[in-house]
Amino acid sequence: MSTLSDLAHAQGRLNDSDVEWLHRLAGDGQLLADLASADIVIWIQTDDGSFIAVAHARPSGAATLFYRDIVGERVRPQWRTQVQGAFESAEIVDSSSPDWFEETPTRVRAVPILSVGRGAEAHSTVIGVVTRHTNLGEVRTPSRQQITFDECANDLFRMIADGSFPDLTAPTSPRRGAPRASDGLIRIDVDGITTFASPNALSAFNRMGFDDELEGESLAEVTTRLVPPSRQVDESLPVVVTGRAPWRTDIEARGVTVSLRAIPLKDHGTRIGAIVLCRDVSELRHQEQELITKDATIREIHHRVKNNLQTVASLLRIQARRTHSDEARDALTQAMRRVDAIAVVHDTLAQGLTQKVDFDEVFHRVLKLVAEVASAPNTRARTQSTGRFGVLPSEYATPLALALTEVVTNAVEHGLAGQEGFVTIDAKRTEDNLRVTVRDTGLGLPEGRIGQGLGTQIIRTLIQGELGGTIEWHGSDGEGTEVVIDIPLRWLER
């Protein structure tokens, strides 16, 4: 759980919808800080009536006032009256005179955070306060861009106070690659005409082939001219470039991809225009495409390895059927089973996008491989699996699957040879350890006596050598055998 959720829920005053509202607002804290060129802090009221900071964003293009993190701190006395006033009045409260913070003159604005609930019983509630702390020690003649950014910030603050920002109907999207104010900002009016375009925004459109000025142009018409007729565009593009919906989309032209995010601006519910953030994400999209191609290639490799292993297993099966030696037939059958167990892991990896596997699924399929052994003459073995293995890295799934195949096969072939019985496999996983216990109801292995065959050697090599674990055999004549495998998970995660 995030710090914001921890602090908000700890106060007991906010419900899940309110916390979600705060999360959305905190997610746009950096946008507010960059537009306002000021530190942005979100406060919620505590049980004793004070206020505690739950989020903080520093401006990217201006000096921060708070060099130390203030999240978790209570509101300072010089801000308390102002924050309390905004919370109780549900109105924006500006400081009447400069406030001094560590010998730096500042101007503070307190904005009530109005949360509009959902459903039939929806109602508006002030759930906190966002404060804007502007450093007056670096006052310079503002540029046109700074003036526009400040106007956009003031519009968003007014929307926060009347509950129209953030918009919970907006779809959530990954923050990675999201446009920021410094990447490029376009302001359009209610008719979609550009009234301001920052230099970075204009550069992004220039790279897509637009060589004129954006201001005075319809952003929708500009993007329509840029996109080739043969290229399929996202259906959300029209509502983004007209500023009618708080969505995000991409536009691609001349090999350049620009990500657009629209933030509709409203005045007491009436749309007055929009902010459109834009960012050249060509390199990012290229990297994402390379990762997709890499994932597809890796999956195809696993698929082909699985097919090759199954071919090898089939050849071993054919050879086993043709041999006249019982000893050679058994050796070939065991080799076939081992190859099949490895193929199961590669088949699972070929179906997913990550290099981690749900080992419970793998082991369920591995147990089916033992069925061939269990169907030996005069032997009736029933297997049962309990507990959960969980997700394991691929490099450890193969040795563990192969080792458990050997252990269960030994329990059937030797423990239950010529009789009916059960083999149970119990997996217990903690944060630090995975313990697997295999028990059979067969003849039993005398305590201290461990087989010296190839299967036992393979088990020891895999568990102790490759997985860094331990394995123990316990049992007595006539009472079955128990094999306990312990694998340290922290060692696996290195």
Side-chain angles (χ1 to χ4, degrees):
M1 183 180 291
S2 69
T3 301
L4 190 154
S5 294
D6 285 336
L7 294 172
H9 280 300
Q11 306 310 315
R13 291 173 171 269
L14 304 176
N15 55 36
D16 290 340
S17 179
D18 294 336
V19 174
E20 180 185 358
W21 193 279
L22 290 174
H23 266 295
R24 292 284 189 109
L25 182 58
D28 280 319
Q30 189 62 57
L31 171 64
L32 292 170
D34 291 343
L35 291 176
S37 297
D39 285 86
I40 301 297
V41 184
I42 296 177
W43 309 87
I44 62 171
Q45 192 173 44
T46 62
D47 292 333
D48 61 3
S50 183
F51 290 86
I52 188 171
V54 295
H56 172 217
R58 295 179 173 90
S60 301
T64 180
L65 288 171
F66 309 114
Y67 292 94
R68 296 178 180 83
D69 194 357
I70 66 170
V71 172
E73 293 187 7
R74 291 181 179 273
V75 65
R76 302 196 178 194
Q78 64 263 42
W79 309 324
R80 181 185 175 93
T81 301
Q82 195 173 345
V83 171
Q84 184 78 36
F87 186 83
E88 293 179 351
S89 68
E91 298 287 343
I92 296 177
V93 179
D94 288 307
S95 54
S96 56
S97 60
D99 172 69
W100 289 84
F101 178 80
E102 296 183 356
E103 300 182 355
T104 300
T106 66
R107 182 172 63 248
V108 180
R109 164 173 284 193
V111 181
I113 303 172
L114 193 67
S115 170
V116 180
R118 295 178 174 178
E121 299 180 358
H123 61 281
S124 301
T125 307
V126 177
I127 60 174
V129 175
V130 57
T131 52
R132 165 182 173 170
H133 302 260
T134 305
N135 187 342
L136 298 180
E138 294 189 345
V139 174
R140 294 172 293 179
T141 302
S143 64
R144 182 163 176 257
Q145 174 171 304
Q146 290 175 315
I147 293 173
T148 302
F149 275 27
D150 192 60
E151 290 174 350
C152 292
N154 290 334
D155 287 335
L156 292 179
F157 285 130
R158 284 193 294 268
M159 290 170 63
I160 292 172
D162 65 25
S164 54
F165 186 81
D167 191 336
L168 295 188
T169 64
T172 57
S173 57
R175 291 285 173 186
R176 183 171 181 263
R180 299 160 298 188
S182 57
D183 295 320
L185 181 143
I186 299 171
R187 177 151 185 167
I188 58 178
D189 62 20
V190 69
D191 297 318
I193 304 301
T194 303
T195 59
F196 173 82
S198 70
N200 285 343
L202 185 58
S203 296
F205 275 78
N206 288 160
R207 287 191 287 272
M208 289 191 292
F210 181 76
D211 55 5
D212 204 347
E213 292 294 330
L214 278 173
E215 293 185 19
E217 296 280 352
S218 166
L219 189 59
E221 293 180 3
V222 170
T223 54
T224 300
R225 295 198 300 267
L226 288 176
V227 179
S230 59
R231 183 177 298 278
Q232 185 176 3
V233 298
D234 190 339
E235 61 182 11
S236 63
L237 180 60
V239 294
V240 170
V241 294
T242 56
R244 295 181 179 276
W247 293 351
R248 180 177 157 191
T249 188
D250 287 354
I251 177 175
E252 184 177 352
R254 292 191 176 184
V256 176
T257 303
V258 174
S259 180
L260 303 175
R261 180 197 173 189
I263 304 173
L265 299 177
K266 300 178 181 178
D267 185 6
H268 295 89
T270 302
R271 191 168 63 88
I272 59 173
I275 299 169
V276 179
L277 304 176
C278 53
R279 178 182 181 182
D280 186 341
V281 292
S282 303
E283 184 62 29
L284 181 62
R285 294 294 180 264
H286 178 67
Q287 293 174 357
E288 290 174 349
Q289 187 60 45
E290 286 185 336
L291 289 175
I292 292 173
T293 302
K294 178 183 176 182
D295 287 337
T297 302
I298 292 174
R299 291 174 63 183
E300 179 63 20
I301 290 173
H302 284 304
H303 180 70
R304 294 188 181 188
V305 170
K306 182 263 297 184
N307 288 343
N308 291 337
L309 289 173
Q310 288 181 336
T311 300
V312 172
S314 297
L315 293 174
L316 292 171
R317 184 181 294 106
I318 294 172
Q319 189 64 41
R321 290 173 180 173
R322 289 177 175 269
T323 186
H324 300 290
S325 168
D326 291 340
E327 183 178 355
R329 184 183 301 108
D330 289 343
L332 289 170
T333 301
Q334 291 176 10
M336 176 195 70
R337 185 180 59 249
R338 290 161 184 154
V339 172
D340 277 335
I342 299 174
V344 166
V345 177
H346 283 280
D347 187 34
T348 304
L349 288 170
Q351 299 173 15
L353 293 176
T354 66
Q355 292 302 296
K356 293 186 178 181
V357 296
D358 183 351
F359 196 80
D360 295 285
E361 177 186 347
V362 171
F363 187 65
H364 176 72
R365 298 175 62 182
V366 166
L367 276 182
K368 292 182 179 180
L369 300 176
V370 184
E372 296 182 10
V373 179
S375 61
N378 302 321
T379 299
R380 294 186 59 189
R382 298 178 181 177
T383 59
Q384 181 180 9
S385 179
T386 60
R388 288 189 58 82
F389 290 89
V391 176
L392 293 175
S394 60
E395 58 266 36
Y396 302 107
T398 297
L400 183 58
L402 189 53
L404 291 178
T405 299
E406 294 294 328
V407 173
V408 175
T409 300
N410 285 344
V412 176
E413 283 187 331
H414 304 294
L416 299 176
Q419 61 177 304
E420 181 178 352
F422 291 88
V423 178
T424 59
I425 305 94
D426 179 56
K428 292 183 178 178
R429 179 167 181 168
T430 64
E431 293 184 359
D432 304 323
N433 186 71
L434 173 63
R435 167 167 288 195
V436 184
T437 305
V438 181
R439 302 183 183 89
D440 67 68
T441 58
L443 299 175
L445 182 70
E447 189 71 30
R449 181 180 175 183
I450 303 174
Q452 302 298 320
L454 177 61
T456 303
Q457 295 179 28
I458 290 175
I459 295 170
R460 284 186 180 278
T461 300
L462 294 172
I463 297 299
Q464 297 176 348
E466 295 198 31
L467 298 177
T470 62
I471 181 168
E472 297 178 354
W473 283 266
H474 306 286
S476 58
D477 288 334
E479 296 184 3
T481 302
E482 179 181 84
V483 181
V484 180
I485 299 172
D486 279 297
I487 301 173
L489 294 183
R490 285 183 178 176
W491 187 87
L492 295 181
E493 295 172 355
R494 287 190 307 179

